[in-house]
């Protein structure tokens, strides 16, 4: 109710890029992986929206900036619209920047019924391979 049309559109586009991450000890989260492009910036063009809007979505309580701390002892199940992958690092630790949905964000995600952003999916898998965490 409180979202204006442009906020709703951006949030819907973000929902098309959401991974479901699950790890046995830490539960499950819905997250956007902030993949990096060749210039070291986040890849807005693969998301389909301007990443500067993420801070606004955080202000309205739909998301929060976070990170995923992978270590060699844990494996994450990463699911993207039904496509399941295993994430694990061989390094002692590996950190990945993410944007996680809040509880309210998850509730709206479940209503939105988003369609997968396949360009983002492909680029994120390439990123996982590049940093050697896709198993």
């Amino acid at each position: 109710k409180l979202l204006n049309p442009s906020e709703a559109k951006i949030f819907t586009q973000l929902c098309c890029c959401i991974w479901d991450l699950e790890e046995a000890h830490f539960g499950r989260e819905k997250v956007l992986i902030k993949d990096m492009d060749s210039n070291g910036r986040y890849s807005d063009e693969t998301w389909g929206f301007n990443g500067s809007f993420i801070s606004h979505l955080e202000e309205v309580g739909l998301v929060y900036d976070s990170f995923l701390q992978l270590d060699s002892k844990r494996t994450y199940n990463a699911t993207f619209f039904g496509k399941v992958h295993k994430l694990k690092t061989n390094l002692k630790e590996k950190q990945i920047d993410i944007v996680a949905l809040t509880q309210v964000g998850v509730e709206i995600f479940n209503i939105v019924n988003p369609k997968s952003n396949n360009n983002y999916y492909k680029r994120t898998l390439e990123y996982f391979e590049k940093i050697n965490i896709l198993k």
Side-chain angles (χ1 to χ4, degrees), residues 61-72:
L62 298 178
V63 301
Y64 61 93
D65 261 328
S66 188
F67 62 90
L68 174 63
Q69 186 72 38
L70 296 172
D71 67 50
S72 58

Side-chain angles (χ1 to χ4, degrees), residues 14-71:
L14 180 137
C15 287
C16 295
C17 301
I18 293 295
W19 286 81
D20 189 27
L21 287 180
E22 182 180 19
E23 198 274 336
H25 301 294
F26 294 94
R28 171 177 252 148
E29 281 190 289
K30 291 197 176 302
V31 303
L32 168 76
I33 306 291
K34 288 184 173 179
D35 59 321
M36 303 293 276
D37 66 15
S38 60
N39 297 317
R41 297 180 303 239
Y42 296 124
S43 298
D44 293 2
E45 68 273 6
T46 67
W47 300 344
F49 65 92
N50 185 329
S52 66
F53 282 99
I54 290 174
S55 61
H56 181 70
L57 294 175
E58 189 168 9
E59 288 173 14
V60 297
L62 298 178
V63 301
Y64 61 93
D65 261 328
S66 188
F67 62 90
L68 174 63
Q69 186 72 38
L70 296 172
D71 67 50

